[in-house]
């Protein structure tokens, strides 16, 4: 998350995780939302960098973190549903 401080990064992570949770129809707690949001921010930043997409500030960081968090939950959903199908 470029251009934001640590406290703002935590707030953005929680918000991104919460938005992703609602979009993907999951039910996590605030701590898991933070984890999903922060990991999603890293994932989203990595992908945005590879695609040469620039973002900055709070809104840009929130959008990229949310997109990354949604992608993360989607990929985790694929993994867990495959795992359940194998048992």
């Amino acid at each position: 998350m470029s251009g934001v401080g640590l406290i703002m990064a935590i707030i953005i992570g929680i918000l991104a995780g919460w938005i992703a949770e609602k979009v993907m129809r999951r039910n996590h707690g605030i701590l898991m939302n933070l984890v999903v949001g922060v990991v999603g921010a890293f994932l989203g930043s990595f992908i945005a960098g590879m695609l040469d997409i620039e973002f900055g500030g709070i809104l840009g960081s929130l959008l990229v973190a949310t997109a990354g968090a949604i992608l993360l939950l989607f990929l985790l959903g694929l993994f867990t549903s495959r795992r359940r199908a194998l048992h």
Side-chain angles (χ1 to χ4, degrees):
M1 291 186 235
S2 64
V4 297
L6 179 63
I7 299 298
M8 223 35 222
I10 291 171
I11 293 170
I12 289 170
I14 291 171
L15 279 173
W18 180 79
I19 293 168
E21 171 187 70
K22 298 304 175 194
V23 168
M24 298 301 290
R25 296 186 177 143
R26 305 279 174 91
N27 190 16
H28 305 126
I30 192 165
L31 183 61
M32 189 54 94
N33 286 343
L34 172 62
V35 171
V36 167
V38 171
V39 173
F42 284 113
L43 181 62
S45 296
F46 177 75
I47 293 170
M50 289 184 66
L51 297 174
D52 203 26
I53 298 172
E54 293 186 23
F55 64 95
I58 295 171
L59 184 58
S61 295
L62 180 61
L63 289 172
V64 168
T66 301
I70 290 170
L71 178 62
L72 176 66
L73 289 177
F74 174 76
L75 293 173
L76 287 174
L78 288 177
F79 177 74
T80 56
S81 59
R82 258 192 207 157
R83 192 170 157 202
R84 278 189 224 133
L86 293 175
H87 283 98

